[in-house]
Amino acid sequence: MQIIAVFLAILSLFVIIGIGYIAQKSGILNQDRVHLISHILVNVALPAITISSMQVADTAKTAGIADSTLLVATGYYLAAFLVSILICTFLPSTPAEKGVFQFMLVFPNTMFMGIPVALAVLGPDSLFYVILFNLPFNLLVFTMGVWLLAQGRPGKLDPKILLSPGLVASVLGLALFLGGYMLPATLDTGLELIGSATTPLAMLVVGALLATLPTAQLAGDWRVYLMAALRLVIFPILAFIVLSPFITDKLLLGVAVLLIAMPVAANSVLLSEEYKVDSTLASKGVFTSTLLCLATIPLLEYFL
């Protein structure tokens, strides 16, 4: 039953990708409209869901496990960043492609796919850990992630590019979390509703961008398969080997390994499109890794 739930959660994303693909082919979507959707997602929907996702109640439970969860998450992102530098130093790629490949390696889809998959595999008690694990993601994706992508743009990198609504939302959400301040229910609900548009619209963008590629190119880049293998298999295995001797909380260990095993974050496509780097490469990374995780996640569930 759990495996069925995981399959359905992933397959629903492919339905939306297919709709985006058809919309592009039929002329409903074009490059300008896709860029506009991405711009709205990056500057409105993503900041909204960032603040909402950081609304974690300050309870005894929070105080008891927050430090260890945040330490594990931050340690993962630092290690993944260093590994991405090493791997992409030897990977044949243009400067713009290099940033996209590094983003693929560092940032898994811990929010939009991580939550439903964790609920299906590990149960409702995992949700608290997943939300905490996403706190560093929300901050780093708009700093480290934007820097990785933007460094491949022509010309000198402008530091002002980091001063985005996403970064402001991340800092604000983190301040609210650390201060133990909860937003009024109506405001939080509004932000959550806006943010809920992110997943379906992001998958539409992925499908539309894939539709601009020749059919032969949809599955023809060995580098994308290498990124998917590292992201879906190698990274979670290494995480389990490194973390299991030190973590006594089995649920925390399971959540960490499962989230690290998620496919490439859809934010890679949105931010690549926003900052005008190789968004089609990012789309191939999201598509390929999400497709392959239909096999890898159920296998991982067996061991967890």
Side-chain angles (χ1 to χ4, degrees):
M1 185 62 69
Q2 291 178 340
I3 294 179
I4 294 175
V6 171
F7 267 102
L8 292 177
I10 299 172
L11 285 175
S12 65
L13 299 181
F14 281 100
V15 170
I16 305 173
I17 290 174
I19 293 172
Y21 187 95
I22 294 171
Q24 174 75 28
K25 288 294 187 181
S26 64
I28 297 174
L29 291 177
N30 57 32
Q31 185 175 357
D32 291 336
R33 291 168 183 169
V34 168
H35 184 72
L36 177 60
I37 293 172
S38 298
H39 187 70
I40 293 171
L41 286 172
V42 169
N43 293 286
V44 180
L46 279 176
I49 196 63
T50 295
I51 295 175
S52 179
S53 67
M54 290 186 174
Q55 288 288 283
V56 182
D58 185 14
T59 64
K61 183 180 180 181
T62 304
I65 67 172
D67 290 346
S68 56
T69 305
L70 293 174
L71 179 62
V72 170
T74 304
Y76 157 72
Y77 286 112
L78 176 59
F81 174 68
L82 295 176
V83 171
S84 74
I85 294 176
L86 177 63
I87 291 174
C88 291
T89 298
F90 301 98
L91 189 73
S93 59
T94 66
E97 290 176 334
K98 179 180 178 181
V100 175
F101 282 130
Q102 285 188 268
F103 194 106
M104 289 182 190
L105 289 175
V106 175
F107 294 102
N109 197 340
T110 56
M111 174 67 75
F112 309 123
M113 186 176 290
I115 289 179
V117 171
L119 288 174
V121 174
L122 299 173
D125 290 341
S126 66
L127 179 60
F128 184 76
Y129 292 83
V130 175
I131 293 174
L132 286 173
F133 201 94
N134 272 284
L135 296 184
F137 176 95
N138 291 330
L139 181 62
L140 292 173
V141 76
F142 290 110
T143 50
M144 180 196 297
V146 169
W147 178 79
L148 288 174
L149 295 173
Q151 66 178 333
R153 288 161 50 121
K156 186 177 180 180
L157 179 61
D158 186 356
K160 293 181 180 179
I161 202 169
L162 298 176
L163 297 177
S164 64
L167 178 59
V168 172
S170 299
V171 173
L172 177 59
L174 185 60
L176 294 174
F177 169 73
L178 294 176
Y181 181 78
M182 302 298 293
L183 295 174
T186 52
L187 177 57
D188 185 38
T189 300
L191 292 173
E192 188 175 354
L193 286 173
I194 295 173
S196 65
T198 303
T199 299
L201 290 180
M203 293 301 106
L204 280 178
V205 170
V206 170
L209 291 172
L210 290 174
T212 64
L213 296 173
T215 304
Q217 290 189 20
L218 290 179
D221 194 332
W222 66 268
R223 300 172 301 172
V224 173
Y225 286 102
L226 175 61
M227 297 300 106
L230 290 166
R231 165 116 310 289
L232 300 175
V233 180
I234 304 301
F235 279 14
I237 290 176
L238 291 176
F240 181 81
I241 293 172
V242 172
L243 294 175
S244 56
F246 304 101
I247 298 179
T248 57
D249 185 340
K250 291 185 178 181
L251 187 54
L252 171 56
L253 178 62
V255 167
V257 173
L258 186 64
L259 293 183
I260 291 170
M262 289 296 105
V264 175
N267 306 53
S268 63
V269 178
L270 305 179
L271 292 172
S272 295
E273 183 70 15
E274 176 70 11
Y275 295 108
K276 295 180 172 58
V277 290
D278 199 336
S279 57
T280 53
L281 177 61
S283 295
K284 288 196 287 186
V286 171
F287 175 80
T288 302
S289 61
T290 304
L291 179 63
L292 293 177
C293 81
L294 284 167
T296 59
I297 291 178
L299 183 62
L300 181 64
E301 177 193 3
Y302 177 79
F303 291 102
L304 292 178

